[in-house]
Amino acid sequence: MKKYRLFLTAILIFLASSFCYSRDAFFKGEDYDLKLLYNDTACFTDAVFIRMIFTQTSKKNKITKEDFASTTAKAELYLNNKLLRTSDFYILKKDSSKNTLTLLCGIPLSTWWKQEEGYSLKITYNLYNRKKLEFDLPFTLLEKELVHETIPLDLKNTEIKTDTSPKRMAQIEKLNNLLEKVNAADVYSLNPFIQPVTSTRRTSFFADRRIYEYSNGKSSASIHNGIDFGVPDGTPVASCAEGKVVMAEERISTGWTIVIEHLPGLYSLYYHLSSLNVQEGNLVKQGDIIGLSGSTGLATGPHLHWEVRLNACEVSPDFFTKAFTFQEEQ
């Protein structure tokens, strides 16, 4: 596999978000130009998104539309020589044409990684399904201060938290299997997310380190995978972005639950609802009211738990409230 060097622009574009900067990268091939936009800096609670744009430039060696669209690519995140995560690119058909091919991919980071020297991204692409090429991109991981809290549970919530019944285990397996699905054709929204409620009052934050104290005197450690909004029962809950409802049901741990798919491998989750306005298979627009908040399942009071998963990994929902797909940067 031949390795090419990319010439990176020296100017960084400020996005005013949890990922601090976007960076442009350019490469000129024999019969195409390649442009990338990506966040080269992120907190360990966030993700890396990369938009890659191929443009045909040769008139003599014109590639057919079919061959052009057969180009595939993947992104890999490394710490020194250790591969941490990998993710395939998918085609954004609405942003592509007969001489432009636009692809996107996202790599979730980990709430347990630490800031160190040596992180980098490797992009590998199979041009026209004929020629394999690769290049590296610089990337910096930032630390983030996390909240530590202890939560006492009453008898009801202790029983839910410690429930190992076949029914609860089956529910957990069903949700995990759903969140692992990545369908490259399922591109519903490229826009920044909105918060699902108008309230800005947060009672818990993403990646909080928790100790649950059970009513029987025992305890366990856990991590909070979403954001909790302290809102009264019956508060309207909106879809954070356009997408497809892939789950709308009651679960032991999370109560009345909704899961919406937005991009390949990207899902938003809404827990502890008191009622649902949607059902599995429904298509929703950003801002559509999908249900009402409540305190069903494992809840110590009325609130909405809002969660986002990318490739089955939890990512801070706040990351997605900015222009994470670089839709406005072309």
Side-chain angles (χ1 to χ4, degrees), residues 15-19 46 191-196 202 227 229 240-241 286 306 308 315-325:
L15 289 181
S17 67
S18 58
F19 53 89
D46 295 338
N191 297 321
F193 288 4
I194 61 172
Q195 287 191 170
R202 299 183 177 193
I227 296 171
F229 293 93
C240 64
Q286 186 176 60
W306 180 39
V308 175
V315 178
S316 172
D318 287 331
F319 174 86
F320 299 94
T321 60
K322 309 300 187 291
F324 68 96
T325 67

Side-chain angles (χ1 to χ4, degrees), residues 82-270:
K82 181 181 179 181
L83 176 62
L84 299 176
R85 295 264 167 87
T86 183
S87 183
D88 291 330
F89 282 82
Y90 46 87
I91 296 175
L92 302 180
K93 294 183 179 179
K94 291 184 178 180
D95 293 336
S96 299
S97 65
K98 61 181 180 181
N99 65 344
T100 299
L101 184 66
T102 303
L103 303 98
L104 184 72
C105 92
I107 296 180
L109 304 179
S110 170
T111 56
W112 298 104
W113 291 345
K114 298 296 183 182
Q115 181 176 0
E116 298 182 51
E117 297 293 332
Y119 284 98
S120 65
L121 290 162
K122 177 178 287 186
I123 308 298
T124 304
Y125 61 104
N126 194 344
L127 188 63
Y128 315 140
N129 201 26
R130 301 176 186 174
K131 185 187 300 184
K132 290 186 177 180
L133 305 169
E134 69 176 37
F135 54 85
D136 294 329
L137 295 172
F139 175 73
T140 301
L141 183 68
L142 300 178
E143 294 279 5
K144 185 177 181 179
E145 187 174 350
L146 300 175
V147 174
H148 291 73
E149 61 180 348
T150 299
I151 300 177
L153 300 181
D154 59 17
L155 177 60
K156 168 182 170 291
N157 284 324
T158 294
E159 290 177 347
I160 292 175
K161 183 67 176 173
T162 57
D163 184 351
T164 58
S165 66
K167 181 178 180 180
R168 183 168 179 254
M169 296 302 104
Q171 289 178 350
I172 292 173
E173 183 179 9
K174 178 181 178 179
L175 180 59
N176 288 340
N177 289 339
L178 187 156
L179 297 175
E180 290 172 356
K181 292 182 179 179
V182 180
N183 187 336
D186 291 348
V187 177
Y188 295 103
S189 174
L190 297 171
N191 297 321
F193 288 4
I194 61 172
Q195 287 191 170
V197 292
T198 57
S199 174
T200 59
R201 178 173 173 260
R202 299 183 177 193
T203 54
S204 291
F205 303 89
F206 179 77
D208 287 357
R209 269 47 176 171
R210 289 179 165 181
I211 299 295
Y212 285 105
E213 292 184 341
Y214 300 144
S215 60
N216 58 14
K218 297 181 179 180
S219 65
S220 67
S222 181
I223 185 170
H224 191 237
N225 290 330
I227 296 171
D228 286 349
F229 293 93
V231 293
D233 277 329
T235 299
V237 175
S239 175
C240 64
E242 187 171 354
K244 181 180 180 180
V245 178
V246 294
M247 177 180 285
E249 63 188 45
E250 187 177 18
R251 305 177 70 246
I252 294 173
S253 297
T254 59
W256 287 103
T257 299
I258 294 173
V259 180
I260 301 175
E261 180 186 27
H262 304 288
L263 285 172
L266 181 61
Y267 300 86
S268 63
L269 303 86
Y270 312 78

Side-chain angles (χ1 to χ4, degrees), residues 263-308:
L263 285 172
L266 181 61
Y267 300 86
S268 63
L269 303 86
Y270 312 78
Y271 290 169
H272 312 300
L273 302 173
S274 60
S275 65
L276 310 183
N277 290 354
V278 294
Q279 58 187 6
E280 185 177 332
N282 286 166
L283 297 177
V284 295
K285 299 291 186 182
Q286 186 176 60
D288 283 354
I289 303 303
I290 56 176
L292 301 178
S293 68
S295 54
T296 57
L298 200 167
T300 57
H303 72 285
L304 171 71
H305 174 97
W306 180 39
E307 189 169 321
V308 175

